[in-house]
Amino acid sequence: NRLMTLPFENGNSILDGAILTAFEQLSNTYTWTGASDNNYNINSNWYPPRITPRPSDILIFNNGLQSEITSVPNDFIRRLEISNGTKLSFNVLTTNNGISSQYIIDHNQSTDSLQLLIEAGSSLKLNSTLGEKWIWKTGTGKNLISGKLEITNQFDSTYADFRNSNNLFPQGSVLNVNGRYRKAFLSSLNKTFMDGTCDIGGNISDGILLPSMQKLSHSKLKFSGNIRQN
């Protein structure tokens, strides 16, 4: 048997960085820890550190805390999971000169592939307060919202687009859309099944809101505010 020794520099193996980089490249699942702060872009807030974002990434929030995630940037991911009673508010990264930010979740596999999961007792609030242009879009996979999804905006420059997805809202779920929207595309092609509570308010114009939602036995719908062209 031969004993292998590793080269050291300043008390640490010089291979540590190489091993960490290789591990990061092999993994595409990142769990939020918030170890440094609540900034989405700080790689040390993820485990393993999210150094190189990729469209194949799966992001998990499961610490059971209520957190306001700041500086959410342009991102394209495969799946977003919120579980274990975790309550999130996503605040868009402030943009300059009217440049749009886009957050796209697309499994890009099949219509039955899970791309957005919000478990019962968990919630996600999409928030834009400074007039940023923010496009939130999901692809052709499945959105399973057993908890609460809240979409709010104080200006009319943001829209949510769930038209191409299979949207499932089981009993006990909550969908709340409120604020000012230029567009709020949430459903088409008979792909949204609502068995929870749907509360639509605020001022929504130039949008297709719920053109083909299939209401199940426990669904509760509430419409208020100024909703046009829906």
Side-chain angles (χ1 to χ4, degrees), residues 38-80:
N38 284 340
N39 191 317
Y40 185 102
N41 296 292
I42 303 299
N43 58 51
S44 59
N45 283 325
W46 302 92
Y47 181 81
R50 192 173 182 233
I51 299 171
T52 307
R54 299 180 178 87
S56 58
D57 288 352
I58 298 171
L59 305 186
I60 298 175
F61 293 81
N62 62 2
N63 60 12
L65 301 177
Q66 182 171 337
S67 302
E68 183 173 321
I69 309 301
T70 61
S71 301
V72 178
N74 287 321
D75 210 352
F76 192 135
I77 64 174
R78 180 178 180 179
R79 185 160 74 238
L80 175 65

Side-chain angles (χ1 to χ4, degrees), residues 22 48 63 65 73 94-95 99 107-108 125 142 148 170 195 202:
N63 60 12
L65 301 177
T94 301
T95 58
I99 300 174
H107 193 285
N108 199 28
K125 179 179 181 180
K142 180 188 297 182
K148 180 178 181 180
D195 203 24

Side-chain angles (χ1 to χ4, degrees), residues 98-122:
I99 300 174
S100 298
S101 292
Q102 297 188 66
Y103 199 94
I104 300 175
I105 308 172
D106 192 347
H107 193 285
N108 199 28
Q109 295 294 322
S110 71
T111 56
D112 290 327
S113 299
L114 186 64
Q115 60 192 8
L116 173 60
L117 170 67
I118 304 177
E119 287 189 353
S122 299

Side-chain angles (χ1 to χ4, degrees), residues 164-181:
N164 293 322
S165 309
N166 290 313
N167 304 306
L168 306 177
F169 293 85
Q171 184 179 357
S173 62
V174 176
L175 169 63
N176 181 277
V177 180
N178 195 21
R180 293 176 55 188
Y181 284 87

